[in-house]
Amino acid sequence: MVDCARIQKELVDCNKDKGISGISVTLDGDEFTHLTGTITGPVGTPYEGGIFQIDIQMPGEYPFEPPKMRFLTKVWHPNISSQNGAICLDILKDQWSPALTLKTALLSLQALLSAPEPGDPQDAVVAQQYLRDYPTFAGTARYWTETFAKRSSMGIEEKVQKLVEMGFPDVLVRKTLEIVGGDENMALEKLCTG
Amino acid sequence: MLCEILQVITRESLLVAQREDLRRVMEMLNLSEQHARTLLIYHRWDVEKVFAVFVEKGKDKLFGEAGVTAKSCKIKHAPAAMTCEVCMEDIPKHKATTMDCGHCFCNNCWTEHFVVKINEGKSRRITCMAYKCTAICDEAIVRNLVSARDPDLAERFERFLLESYIEDNQRVKWCPSVPHCGNAIRVEDEKLCEVECTCGVQFCFSCSSEAHSPCSCLMWELWVKKCRDESETVNWITVNTKSCPKCYKSVEKNGGCNLVSCICGQSFCWLCGGATGREHTWTSIAGHSCGRFKEDQEKQAERAKRDLNRYMHYHNRYKAHTDSFKLESKLKETIESQILMLEGKESELKDFSWLTNGLNRLFRSRRVLSYSYPFAFYMFGEDLFGDEMTPVEREMKQNLFEDQQQQLEENVEKLSKALEEKYDGLEDDNLKQSRMQLINLSVITDRLCKSMYECIENDLLGSLKLATHNIAAYKSKGVERASELLVRATKGNNSISCLQTSSSISATGGTVEVGRSSSSSLNFENGCPSRKRSKREAFGNVLFDLNLPAEVIDKS
Ligand SMILES: [Zn+2]
Ligand SMILES: [Zn+2]
Ligand SMILES: [Zn+2]
Ligand SMILES: [Zn+2]
Ligand SMILES: [Zn+2]
Ligand SMILES: [Zn+2]
Ligand SMILES: [Zn+2]
């Protein structure tokens, strides 16, 4: 049976300073077995400005067993599956300790976004790219952040449309946007300089 | 090195055996039982390894790696209440427990943690709950807290700790008997050997299947699979028989052409199984064209047939010797009753151990002979060593081996025949002559077995370049028998005593094992080796009369 008292305390504690930490957790329905976490992409990384949602399943033995976490938001990262959001992180597996919390786990995920560990990859394709061609990796990661992790900003389709209307071919526009990580102004600059 | 010292560990002596190793580490390093256990579990119950790490890397490293934390002397004066970091509740001090590492949580949380870990099968290494703390929890605390919640689980915890001695121990293996005799066998030093449990089961210590030398473990595994595999029989049927299209009886092909006739009178085509007339030539059947007469198919069938014939050749001989072995085991009774009769007679001869020895020689060499066939099957076949030898080399080696095998075979049969004689009906002179003959045969057979093993080890397996195959060494005395672990209440009197001063030997942990000597192999101890050797010799003498090679009997 899930320890509701502890989870309740964790929720209060976590959401108290979400403005500073950029981390929050909400209940999914009335059950304490299913939660959703949110983290902001760390500044100075291809994930900057993105808001990432994480699906959290609480096992019956929580906190004596680790929570099961998975990215709901699509992320381009060596330790996160680009297919299903599965995460490769030691503290969610054998390094879990009952003294850790949802907040510390989410903080670790945020840290993982800042410092990928391509040596222990979850997504081999991304990890290869990260190691061999960092600029392309960073571009794709930024593009994915732009496309999937930014709710408020202009959608990628709108940007494409705008640039196409300026007279650039659709295929080239999409490609350029991807290279520059979705930044409309940078894309325009690149398109103009050829 | 041979595995000279074998012990049977029964359910009852498991605790004693484990205690003994624990005690050595406890006394050597001045540790509590639970810390000694933590070290030993981490090092797979290899006492020498623990001592070696201690000497090489020092105490701190040894303890750190394994998760042993020496209790800090400072008793923390914690406030009367604390907040448990796991359940986040305020807890009065008496409801919380501090581990040796200094981390304190409430008893409820500790208990829950232990329950989850025991259920996960991690009883042997339950770490502290604090993040990144690798300290192993005090087993007494685990025991107490868990038994308060779930006595059955506490018992399981206890059993897991106990069985770790067998399951995590490289020197100990469960006896593979079915139904299980409850025993485990411990060997010293050598892990590649064949052993006999007190329940009578003989097995290979390295793969736990029946004793199979001179086959290597891999060869034996493949052979068992091959024999069990029905595809061989299926293969035989497809290669050699087809069912008649009229009466469905199996018909064997005997002749070169593809027209076969059933005893019911029906003729049919061997290739497609279709009914035909009787008119045919070597390559075609009149009025019949099945279109399946293709050369490669013929070749494939030829190849399958060749492989199958090869397998059958080795299997038949293997089986023949295994069957003989079973039949000959009945000789045991006959020989025993003959010895009884002979002993009752007025005669110059008083000692009839040569008969028992001859019989044991027969049993042992018969085994060697039967396992030498699967060995040859793989040694000179293409499955395992196809790339190891040129065909010429292969043929040379095969001839060398088969000469030896043949000689051994002849002598084993002679020995078998000699043992069927009615010794109790013989007059003294004839009896003496028969005795001489039997002893001679035993000696020769023993030598032949020995040189076959040597040939296998040195010339055949020893010269492999790509693969490594090892076999258990040949033992004239037969498969090593494990002796019961002796439990004595006396103190001292064993090689362990040279490890520490006599005053440090605990009166309670006074377990002594015959021939137990590995403790003396510590390189930083003096004065042990000579004692160790004398122990082993003394141990060997116990078995003198029953299991010595014929050579020795001959000399005496
Ligand atoms: Zn607690
Ligand atoms: Zn600790
Ligand atoms: Zn047994
Ligand atoms: Zn084996
Ligand atoms: Zn028929
Ligand atoms: Zn014919
Ligand atoms: Zn046909």
Side-chain angles (χ1 to χ4, degrees):
Chain A
M1 212 205 70
V2 181
D3 185 349
C4 301
R6 165 163 158 160
I7 298 174
Q8 213 135 31
K9 281 193 186 123
E10 279 198 50
L11 285 174
V12 174
D13 185 54
C14 187
N15 295 331
K16 211 159 49 189
D17 61 349
K18 66 177 168 193
I20 309 158
S21 66
I23 285 171
S24 64
V25 183
T26 52
L27 272 179
D28 251 32
D30 308 328
E31 301 291 323
F32 282 87
T33 54
H34 196 192
L35 300 94
T36 304
T38 309
I39 60 175
T40 52
V43 179
T45 69
Y47 312 102
E48 182 175 346
I51 293 167
F52 301 89
Q53 289 209 304
I54 290 119
D55 177 73
I56 307 171
Q57 301 277 350
M58 303 297 266
E61 309 298 337
Y62 183 85
F64 302 96
E65 276 177 13
K68 292 186 178 68
M69 295 192 174
R70 184 176 71 84
F71 272 85
L72 288 170
T73 312
K74 277 174 88 74
V75 198
W76 191 255
H77 186 285
N79 306 102
I80 301 159
S81 165
S82 57
Q83 305 292 313
N84 59 18
I87 304 161
C88 181
L89 183 64
D90 57 357
I91 66 151
L92 293 179
K93 288 165 189 165
D94 53 337
Q95 292 300 306
W96 173 256
S97 144
L100 293 173
T101 61
L102 293 175
K103 186 176 168 185
T104 49
L106 290 171
L107 276 167
S108 299
L109 288 182
Q110 214 173 27
L112 188 66
L113 290 182
S114 304
E117 285 168 34
D120 182 22
Q122 172 77 39
D123 196 311
V125 179
V126 185
Q128 290 280 336
Q129 195 191 52
Y130 180 89
L131 289 170
R132 286 188 192 155
D133 183 7
Y134 185 80
T136 310
F137 161 80
T140 315
R142 219 175 292 126
Y143 180 72
W144 278 44
T145 306
E146 209 64 41
T147 313
F148 306 114
K150 287 191 178 171
R151 273 171 285 176
S152 50
S153 68
M154 202 193 313
I156 205 80
E157 284 307 317
E158 282 175 70
K159 289 178 192 168
V160 172
Q161 209 185 341
K162 229 166 132 188
L163 289 166
V164 169
E165 278 165 10
M166 288 178 193
F168 299 104
D170 187 278
V171 181
L172 187 64
V173 165
R174 284 180 194 276
K175 213 168 168 202
T176 313
L177 270 171
E178 188 168 340
I179 289 165
V180 299
D183 189 305
E184 188 195 335
N185 293 326
M186 275 168 77
L188 182 60
E189 202 174 308
K190 211 169 163 73
L191 284 164
C192 292
T193 55
Chain B
M1 266 294 270
L2 310 175
C3 48
E4 295 177 77
I5 294 152
L6 286 183
Q7 279 143 0
V8 163
I9 299 170
T10 58
R11 292 245 177 239
E12 295 71 41
S13 59
L14 179 56
L15 191 64
V16 172
Q18 193 181 37
R19 280 267 157 77
E20 180 52 40
D21 283 355
L22 284 171
R23 201 176 59 88
R24 288 171 63 203
V25 171
M26 283 159 71
E27 285 174 5
M28 191 63 209
L29 303 175
N30 192 20
L31 283 175
S32 69
E33 180 175 312
Q34 71 130 336
H35 286 159
R37 195 192 318 276
T38 302
L39 284 179
L40 280 167
I41 287 177
Y42 187 80
H43 290 289
R44 301 183 66 94
W45 292 95
D46 190 335
V47 179
E48 265 66 52
K49 180 84 187 295
V50 171
F51 291 156
V53 173
F54 175 70
V55 171
E56 279 162 28
K57 298 185 183 168
K59 196 170 184 166
D60 291 347
K61 187 94 198 213
L62 172 71
F63 285 15
E65 278 176 351
V68 169
T69 355
K71 206 162 202 147
S72 54
C73 300
K74 281 178 276 174
I75 297 158
K76 280 184 192 153
H77 287 283
M82 46 96 58
T83 305
C84 171
E85 265 182 67
V86 171
C87 59
M88 300 174 174
E89 303 281 349
D90 293 332
I91 303 291
K93 210 179 135 199
H94 69 275
K95 284 189 176 168
T97 300
T98 309
M99 283 293 159
D100 289 351
C101 54
H103 292 118
C104 182
F105 299 97
C106 82
N107 289 345
N108 266 339
C109 287
W110 277 123
T111 312
E112 196 58 50
H113 176 63
F114 299 150
V115 168
V116 167
K117 290 292 167 192
I118 295 169
N119 282 327
E120 277 176 6
K122 291 183 184 152
S123 297
R124 290 157 203 164
R125 288 187 63 79
I126 302 181
T127 48
C128 168
M129 282 199 283
Y131 178 52
K132 293 225 157 142
C133 181
T134 53
I136 302 297
C137 294
D138 188 321
E139 60 186 55
I141 296 175
V142 177
R143 199 173 289 135
N144 289 341
L145 288 178
V146 173
S147 56
R149 161 109 44 113
D150 183 348
D152 287 349
L153 195 69
E155 218 165 90
R156 262 173 67 201
F157 170 71
E158 216 66 52
R159 211 173 55 235
F160 281 139
L161 284 190
L162 200 58
E163 287 182 350
S164 142
Y165 186 74
I166 290 173
E167 271 143 33
D168 300 337
N169 198 327
Q170 285 178 301
R171 293 171 198 275
V172 180
K173 284 239 167 87
W174 288 113
C175 166
S177 54
V178 182
H180 193 232
C181 64
N183 294 343
I185 308 284
R186 175 165 66 192
V187 303
E188 297 294 338
D189 309 322
E190 180 66 63
K191 282 142 210 133
L192 186 75
C193 60
E194 294 174 337
V195 300
E196 184 182 313
C197 177
T198 45
C199 74
V201 163
Q202 297 189 339
F203 65 99
C204 166
F205 194 79
S206 96
C207 71
S208 285
S209 60
E210 65 178 273
H212 55 66
S213 75
C215 276
S216 68
C217 292
L218 177 61
M219 287 174 177
W220 182 245
E221 191 194 328
L222 292 173
W223 180 257
V224 170
K225 222 183 270 164
K226 198 168 184 66
C227 293
R228 209 184 288 144
D229 206 347
E230 280 188 341
S231 73
E232 293 292 353
T233 26
V234 171
N235 208 355
W236 191 84
I237 288 164
T238 53
V239 170
N240 295 292
T241 70
K242 273 228 164 84
S243 62
C244 165
K246 191 175 169 194
C247 70
Y248 303 108
K249 254 192 204 98
S250 280
V251 180
E252 237 180 283
K253 183 182 174 185
N254 45 13
C257 77
N258 288 309
L259 179 85
V260 282
S261 347
C262 176
I263 44 167
C264 74
Q266 178 64 51
S267 296
F268 63 97
C269 166
W270 176 255
L271 294 172
C272 69
T276 63
R278 288 168 176 274
E279 285 293 306
H280 71 286
T281 67
W282 276 102
T283 49
S284 67
I285 300 167
H288 176 84
S289 88
C290 59
R292 284 186 60 183
F293 187 82
K294 283 178 199 137
E295 218 185 324
D296 57 334
Q297 209 166 4
E298 281 270 278
K299 270 188 188 157
Q300 219 174 353
E302 279 307 307
R303 201 195 146 84
K305 190 160 182 173
R306 206 188 60 218
D307 286 352
L308 183 64
N309 280 340
R310 185 169 183 274
Y311 168 70
M312 295 297 264
H313 169 88
Y314 287 99
H315 187 264
N316 287 344
R317 280 152 189 81
Y318 161 73
K319 182 133 190 336
H321 289 297
T322 321
D323 290 348
S324 300
F325 182 79
K326 279 178 204 147
L327 286 173
E328 283 159 355
S329 46
K330 287 177 194 149
L331 267 178
K332 198 171 168 107
E333 269 176 48
T334 330
I335 295 284
E336 273 167 5
S337 69
Q338 286 197 41
I339 291 177
L340 272 179
M341 293 279 286
L342 286 164
E343 280 170 346
K345 272 168 71 173
E346 276 294 314
S347 164
E348 272 179 56
L349 289 171
K350 292 278 174 254
D351 178 22
F352 299 99
S353 58
W354 49 276
L355 265 175
T356 331
N357 283 320
L359 187 66
N360 286 334
R361 180 61 50 220
L362 174 65
F363 290 160
R364 277 162 218 150
S365 43
R366 186 67 85 182
R367 284 187 75 100
V368 170
L369 204 50
S370 34
Y371 294 112
S372 75
Y373 282 98
F375 166 79
F377 177 79
Y378 288 109
M379 187 71 227
F380 308 112
E382 287 179 352
D383 294 9
L384 282 180
F385 307 134
D387 302 329
E388 291 270 4
M389 292 168 270
T390 63
V392 181
E393 260 180 294
R394 191 188 307 269
E395 205 186 313
M396 260 171 51
K397 288 186 172 178
Q398 188 164 358
N399 286 338
L400 176 80
F401 178 77
E402 281 173 358
D403 279 350
Q404 297 204 347
Q405 199 180 29
Q406 231 163 46
Q407 278 189 50
L408 179 62
E409 200 152 29
E410 274 167 33
N411 274 278
V412 168
E413 297 309 339
K414 278 188 202 158
L415 187 60
S416 173
K417 196 144 193 302
L419 280 160
E420 279 170 20
E421 200 173 334
K422 297 270 165 286
Y423 290 94
D424 48 351
L426 296 177
E427 293 306 316
D428 262 15
D429 280 355
N430 286 337
L431 190 58
K432 274 183 197 161
Q433 210 182 333
S434 299
R435 168 176 171 266
M436 217 38 238
Q437 196 205 356
L438 191 66
I439 289 175
N440 270 337
L441 273 173
S442 301
V443 172
I444 294 168
T445 311
D446 183 27
R447 270 186 206 142
L448 286 171
C449 285
K450 196 166 174 235
S451 68
M452 182 193 262
Y453 269 66
E454 277 167 6
C455 165
I456 290 172
E457 280 173 348
N458 303 330
D459 305 329
L460 302 175
L461 295 178
S463 70
L464 294 177
K465 288 167 205 86
L466 307 172
T468 322
H469 282 244
N470 293 308
I471 60 168
Y474 177 66
K475 297 269 174 70
S476 273
K477 290 186 284 179
V479 169
E480 196 99 19
R481 283 180 202 176
S483 54
E484 293 273 358
L485 186 73
L486 292 188
V487 184
R488 276 190 247 151
T490 50
K491 53 180 186 169
N493 184 40
N494 60 355
S495 47
I496 291 150
S497 57
C498 53
L499 265 184
Q500 53 269 142
T501 54
S502 55
S503 61
S504 68
I505 294 171
S506 77
T508 47
T511 61
V512 178
E513 301 150 19
V514 170
R516 175 68 195 217
S517 59
S518 66
S519 53
S520 56
S521 58
L522 273 174
N523 45 16
F524 49 88
E525 285 296 323
N526 298 320
C528 286
S530 60
R531 184 160 181 181
K532 163 172 153 187
R533 211 163 297 123
S534 68
K535 266 264 165 326
R536 286 200 177 172
E537 276 157 18
F539 181 59
N541 282 338
V542 180
L543 300 171
F544 184 79
D545 49 351
L546 250 187
N547 284 299
L548 279 184
E551 289 165 68
V552 182
I553 309 280
D554 220 18
K555 273 181 221 152
S556 69

